[in-house]
Amino acid sequence: MSQDKDKAQPQDPERREFLTTATGVVAGAGIVATSWPFIASMNPSSEVLSKATTEVSLTGLQPGAVKTVEWQGKPVFILHRTDEQATDMDKTEGGKDPQKDTSRVKDPNWLVVVGLCTHLGCVPQRKDQGWFCPCHGSVYDNSGRILKGPAPRNLDLPPYEFIGENKILIGKAKA
Amino acid sequence: MANKIMAWIDERFPLTNIVKHEITDYPTPRNLSYWWNFGFLAGFVLVIQLISGIFLAMHYKADTSLAFDSVEHIMREVNYGWLIRYMHSTGASAFFAVIFIHMARTLYYGSYRAPRELMWWTGQILLIMLMATAFFGYLLPWGQMSYWGAQVITSLFGTVPFLGDEIVVWLRGDFAVGDATLTRFFALHYLFPFLIFGMVAIHLVALHMVKSSNPSGIDLQAKDNIPLHPYFTAKDFYGLGVFLIVFSLILFFRPNLFIEPDNYIPANPMQTPAHIVPEWYFLPFYAILRAIPDLVGGVIAMALSILLFAVMPYLDRSKIPGGARYRPFYRIMFIVFAIDVVILGYVGAKPPTGFLITLGQICTFFYFALFMLLPFVSKREEKWLRAKGLPAEVEALIASDERQREIQRKEALRK
Amino acid sequence: MKQLLSLFIIYLFLASSSSFAASDNGHPLADIKLDRSQAALQRGANAVINSCMLCHQLKYIKYRNLLDIGFDQATVDAMRKDNPMSSLLPTGLDKKLVEDMFGIVPPDLALMAKARKGGPAYIYTLLTSYHEQADGRIENLLFPGIAMPDPTAHSVTEDAAAKKEIEAKILDIASFLEWTADPHAQERKTMGIYVIIYLVILTIMLYIVKKRVWARLD
């Protein structure tokens, strides 16, 4: 019995070394894999993810009226522009951040912008033909373009799509 | 590089020394069986519970109107929330299973005897802390069993003389278990594991002072000790693998095995479930509580049934080493006790009717009788065994053990 | 010590056996084989939405959850009309009205398959246990005194083929409610298989390492 052991001994160390390393690697892989569910549990839950998009019905929103909806915890302004407002906007390019109106809307009668001033994130108020930020006085036009004040850029555009009749989906549906 | 870093640390903190002293050179009896794995396993389960618990607490809401739904939110909406929650609920059962086996090993091999009384007592404190933690945690899902379990157990404190009713209201922070109770149980459930962690550290310091006991029951000579690492680390990790297989089988395929169906019904203070049952690990103690017809007596009996273990080092007066191994009578008592506890558990799970009441009372009697008989049985057994003539090897073990102690005593005196 | 371990296992079995077997009143539960295919779950979903939810609620189950059992977006859109994907399935439950009629508020069904001993088998048995008594009353043998009248008319259906059809529908309902109680069960079992395979391999490796390390001692 002990003789068998002795015979096995010489080649043992190396094989033992390899096996121990291999076992360590396998165990380490298991620990890494196990940590994933815990890390993932801190990501937004499926409930939060389901709120990544907001469905808005446009029915009943009169021309000239604005509707504020919540999308991913932020206000989004939906302005139903009259034909006159739309053509007015098409003629200008705004102020310090010039942009064509056509590149800011999908339908000239509907403007959809994130309602946070690009300066320091206050919510601008509807005023005359545009918006006015009460915090530092930035002024935006009916295309959400910055006209004057400290704000550096035009109001941001959320991703959105017209789905069905009179309905838009703000945000990207998860792939 | 690594050597330099180690040198830098070692000048400031004795890291290498600790690792050497407590792990790589730590002498461990060579003859430890797999029953000595369970202490390590208990430590591992504690870590599972701590980690899964912290992640659950990120999503749980301790409010009576939200608690039940927040657990369902975890089970349904949180990424892998079901996994973490089932891990925690299965882990609670695993913790008790491991601890009970760990205790049974201590009892069977007489590991509680001198000089390991402090190990045994810190272990006892750990058991009671674990029970408290499990009890606090069980309220959190705010199901029917959670609610009525907490209601019943807090009511037990009403048996305290004079101040009973006030204590019950103080514990609950309300006239019945309510929002105040839930939030404080959550706070304590989060706190206790860290206290347990500290107590485990004390348990381990005591262990490294007196060293592991072993199946032969005597202090082994140096030549019979081997380093903890790599021998017992290898053995413990293999045992851990086996444990994890069993644990995962329950976690992934029978996660509701230990969860009462009634706990999937939200707590309703207006309606008690048909029969309320505690978690399986409390069943034997619950049976003892119910076996005594008088409530105060029942509470005292239940408390004693746990606390009596602490006096084991004094109840057992035998000098024969190796616990039940070389002691036929002690072994019989141990087996009777184990069967008795199992029957008590069964009785505790069933509604108290006719024969089961009597059975519970008989088993309660045996439970205490065995403790009471131990001092006499152990002494007589020792005399009888020695008169009969122990196997030569055991006599030699006792002799060497006594000689060993003699040497130690002299050494201590010389210092 | 070995005997002790077997005792312990017996103990665990006894302690947990209460979750299987017969119901509380001793009435045996039907031995059913659930069909967990998406088609069955969808049939069950339709049955529950169209019948059960006239009185019962299905807490926790939202329109978007229906996608998980294979309903396509168009079908769900048709069901929800203008309601957001994240709203709960609607119930006809008017708590006050139903309480006046039956004396109790019908229990929520989302967790029913977990909240009763036997789970889906309990649901199946309950719905097939209505029987006409000698005095003409219809009584439920599993739940005597139940407030809910036989919802599928199983007890008064004479035609064998029609009865079989009702039983098939009840089985689908049981499958669907098992899903609503534990929507991740399938994912859990699949993951479990991989975890067990991994652990068995790892444990075998650890065993060999242990053997080799200890061989140095001889």
Side-chain angles (χ1 to χ4, degrees):
Chain A
M1 172 99 186
S2 65
Q3 272 182 344
D4 289 353
K5 281 269 154 60
D6 287 343
K7 264 186 230 159
Q9 215 64 4
Q11 52 170 350
D12 234 2
E14 237 173 68
R15 262 168 60 188
R16 192 196 305 136
E17 199 71 15
F18 169 74
L19 196 77
T20 311
T21 316
T23 311
V25 169
V26 173
I31 293 167
V32 170
T34 311
S35 65
W36 172 245
F38 290 95
I39 296 167
S41 76
M42 291 174 72
N43 268 328
S45 68
S46 60
E47 193 168 12
V48 174
L49 286 180
S50 74
K51 286 170 188 151
T53 57
T54 304
E55 239 177 58
V56 187
S57 167
L58 303 175
T59 350
L61 189 61
Q62 296 303 319
V66 182
K67 185 174 186 170
T68 307
V69 295
E70 194 184 320
W71 169 69
Q72 292 187 356
K74 291 173 284 204
V76 168
F77 298 145
I78 301 172
L79 170 64
H80 189 177
R81 301 197 295 202
T82 59
D83 292 340
E84 194 195 341
Q85 285 170 330
T87 38
D88 278 355
M89 284 301 109
D90 202 28
K91 285 179 206 148
T92 61
E93 290 210 341
K96 73 172 84 156
D97 184 13
Q99 216 177 359
K100 274 202 161 58
D101 184 60
T102 45
S103 63
R104 292 181 59 79
V105 291
K106 294 196 170 169
D107 176 329
N109 287 110
W110 295 98
L111 173 75
V112 183
V113 287
V114 174
L116 292 177
C117 180
T118 54
H119 178 218
L120 291 170
C122 296
V123 180
Q125 295 163 354
R126 182 72 182 152
K127 200 177 177 197
D128 309 325
Q129 292 300 306
W131 284 272
F132 168 75
C133 181
C135 294
H136 303 93
S138 296
V139 176
Y140 300 90
D141 67 7
N142 270 340
S143 186
R145 290 175 298 206
I146 179 73
L147 296 179
K148 45 181 186 203
R153 341 179 277 285
N154 303 334
L155 290 180
D156 292 329
L157 304 170
Y160 68 95
E161 262 179 291
F162 283 86
I163 52 164
E165 266 175 71
N166 276 329
K167 218 181 208 184
I168 60 168
L169 183 74
I170 307 174
K172 279 202 184 79
K174 59 177 172 179
Chain B
M1 183 64 193
N3 284 341
K4 266 190 179 163
I5 294 172
M6 280 310 291
W8 188 90
I9 294 173
D10 281 331
E11 275 171 33
R12 292 153 178 87
F13 182 88
L15 185 60
T16 307
N17 260 340
I18 290 178
V19 171
K20 227 170 131 80
H21 194 252
E22 309 301 337
I23 298 173
T24 53
D25 284 354
Y26 178 70
T28 313
R30 180 178 175 158
N31 58 345
L32 295 190
S33 65
Y34 279 104
W35 296 112
W36 266 259
N37 262 28
F38 286 85
F40 169 71
L41 290 182
F44 187 85
V45 180
L46 175 62
V47 174
I48 293 185
Q49 292 303 82
L50 271 170
I51 296 176
S52 57
I54 288 170
F55 279 85
L56 287 176
M58 293 182 191
H59 302 281
Y60 173 75
K61 296 187 178 74
D63 177 313
T64 53
S65 59
L66 303 171
F68 189 89
D69 288 346
S70 75
V71 174
E72 281 307 312
H73 167 75
I74 291 169
M75 294 291 289
R76 290 158 194 273
E77 314 273 10
V78 173
N79 305 314
Y80 298 105
W82 56 269
L83 176 65
I84 300 172
R85 195 275 173 125
Y86 277 148
M87 195 182 280
H88 201 68
S89 64
T90 311
S93 283
F95 212 152
F96 278 97
V98 167
I99 286 290
F100 285 159
I101 295 175
H102 190 57
M103 277 180 76
R105 189 272 291 157
T106 311
L107 288 170
Y108 186 88
Y109 288 103
S111 310
Y112 48 81
R113 290 186 290 185
R116 297 190 178 79
E117 298 96 326
L118 278 178
M119 292 237 50
W120 180 237
W121 291 335
T122 49
Q124 288 280 290
I125 296 169
L126 279 168
L127 174 68
I128 292 168
M129 289 166 91
L130 179 65
M131 286 177 156
T133 312
F135 168 63
F136 293 139
Y138 196 51
L139 182 67
L140 305 186
W142 202 247
Q144 274 287 65
M145 280 297 169
S146 304
Y147 181 86
W148 290 100
Q151 189 78 3
V152 168
I153 301 296
T154 48
S155 296
L156 294 182
F157 288 89
T159 56
V160 174
F162 308 116
L163 288 171
D165 293 344
E166 283 77 7
I167 291 178
V168 172
V169 171
W170 177 76
L171 283 173
R172 294 176 182 160
D174 200 336
F175 304 108
V177 170
D179 204 51
T181 326
L182 179 61
T183 32
R184 69 186 55 180
F185 273 35
F186 180 54
L188 294 172
H189 186 67
Y190 207 112
L191 167 70
F192 266 51
F194 298 98
L195 300 182
I196 289 179
F197 211 86
M199 188 51 79
V200 167
I202 296 174
H203 196 64
L204 286 179
V205 171
L207 171 68
H208 282 230
M209 178 78 191
V210 297
K211 307 287 187 280
S212 289
S213 67
N214 69 81
S216 77
I218 59 144
D219 294 327
L220 296 175
Q221 307 287 338
K223 68 177 166 58
D224 294 318
N225 284 317
I226 50 178
L228 182 73
H229 179 77
Y231 298 103
F232 283 99
T233 40
K235 197 168 180 174
D236 280 349
F237 277 113
Y238 163 57
L240 177 64
V242 175
F243 166 81
L244 283 178
I245 291 174
V246 178
F247 182 74
S248 302
L249 282 173
I250 296 174
L251 165 57
F252 288 102
F253 299 102
R254 286 281 178 284
N256 288 305
L257 186 62
F258 301 117
I259 302 179
E260 278 296 317
D262 275 308
N263 226 22
Y264 283 111
I265 303 172
N268 179 359
M270 298 298 127
Q271 195 183 34
T272 313
H275 34 258
I276 52 172
V277 205
E279 293 287 80
W280 68 268
Y281 36 80
F282 290 138
L283 288 174
F285 310 109
Y286 184 62
I288 290 175
L289 170 76
R290 289 199 306 193
I292 314 285
D294 174 59
L295 180 59
V296 180
V299 173
I300 293 172
M302 185 173 71
L304 275 181
S305 69
I306 300 165
L307 296 175
L308 264 183
F309 285 107
V311 281
M312 275 302 284
Y314 302 105
L315 294 180
D316 184 356
R317 293 161 66 204
S318 174
K319 280 211 192 80
I320 312 281
R325 199 173 182 190
Y326 306 115
R327 299 166 57 189
F329 285 104
Y330 184 73
R331 187 160 63 224
I332 291 168
M333 288 173 86
F334 178 85
I335 293 169
V336 171
F337 185 76
I339 295 172
D340 191 69
V341 170
V342 170
I343 299 174
L344 276 172
Y346 176 77
V347 171
K350 296 288 162 192
T353 48
F355 172 66
L356 282 179
I357 298 181
T358 322
L359 184 64
Q361 286 169 342
I362 294 171
C363 288
T364 304
F365 173 77
F366 269 101
Y367 189 102
F368 290 106
L370 285 167
F371 278 106
M372 296 304 123
L373 282 174
L374 187 57
F376 311 105
V377 174
S378 58
K379 203 70 211 168
R380 295 218 64 131
E381 181 190 49
E382 186 192 338
K383 275 195 190 138
W384 175 73
L385 280 172
R386 291 194 120 158
K388 193 165 101 31
L390 286 161
E393 50 171 68
V394 180
E395 279 292 4
L397 282 175
I398 302 174
S400 73
D401 190 32
E402 276 171 2
R403 205 175 54 234
Q404 192 73 15
R405 278 190 199 188
E406 194 68 18
I407 295 165
Q408 280 172 359
R409 221 170 298 140
K410 276 181 189 156
E411 268 179 18
L413 280 178
R414 211 179 305 146
K415 276 176 191 165
Chain C
M1 281 305 273
K2 291 229 175 66
Q3 302 98 307
L4 177 77
L5 190 70
S6 41
L7 259 179
F8 192 70
I9 291 166
I10 294 169
Y11 175 75
L12 286 185
F13 179 74
L14 284 175
S16 62
S17 65
S18 56
S19 16
F20 307 114
S23 61
D24 286 346
N25 72 356
H27 186 77
L29 295 184
D31 186 17
I32 52 164
K33 177 118 186 53
L34 289 179
D35 179 357
R36 297 192 174 93
S37 67
Q38 293 207 327
L41 293 179
Q42 290 176 19
R43 286 196 304 270
N46 282 322
V48 168
I49 291 169
N50 296 330
S51 316
C52 309
M53 293 192 71
L54 295 177
C55 294
H56 289 275
Q57 216 187 347
L58 206 53
K59 230 169 147 187
Y60 313 120
I61 302 299
K62 295 157 185 168
Y63 283 112
R64 64 185 157 81
N65 297 127
L66 295 178
L67 298 176
D68 299 341
I69 52 170
F71 279 109
D72 56 27
Q73 184 70 47
T75 316
V76 178
D77 283 344
M79 282 186 202
R80 73 191 175 103
K81 301 187 186 74
D82 264 345
N83 295 308
M85 286 296 278
S86 275
S87 56
L88 293 173
L89 299 183
T91 166
L93 177 66
D94 177 341
K95 281 191 181 165
K96 176 103 183 57
L97 183 79
V98 183
E99 198 168 3
D100 287 348
M101 254 167 81
F102 297 105
I104 65 158
V105 177
D108 187 83
L109 293 184
L111 280 167
M112 201 44 94
K114 270 173 160 184
R116 295 292 181 276
K117 282 177 188 167
Y122 177 93
I123 294 168
Y124 181 87
T125 312
L126 181 84
L127 292 176
T128 51
S129 291
Y130 287 92
H131 284 282
E132 200 168 345
Q133 304 296 294
D135 59 1
R137 264 181 331 108
I138 291 180
E139 183 57 284
N140 192 296
L141 300 183
L142 178 61
F143 188 162
I146 190 171
M148 174 171 71
D150 183 358
T152 59
H154 178 264
S155 57
V156 292
T157 308
E158 302 282 336
D159 181 47
K163 203 158 187 143
K164 268 230 137 61
E165 210 168 284
I166 293 177
E167 280 167 9
K169 182 175 163 184
I170 294 175
L171 194 63
D172 289 338
I173 291 176
S175 303
F176 176 68
L177 290 181
E178 185 197 48
W179 174 79
T180 63
D182 200 353
H184 294 289
Q186 209 46 54
E187 184 189 355
R188 188 184 77 226
K189 287 174 195 162
T190 315
M191 189 193 278
I193 291 168
Y194 290 116
V195 169
I196 296 291
I197 291 172
Y198 164 80
L199 283 174
V200 167
I201 294 171
L202 177 66
T203 305
I204 291 171
M205 293 179 85
L206 286 167
Y207 179 71
I208 299 171
V209 168
K210 186 252 162 192
K211 271 269 169 221
R212 284 173 180 247
V213 167
W214 280 70
R216 290 183 219 168
L217 285 175
D218 295 308

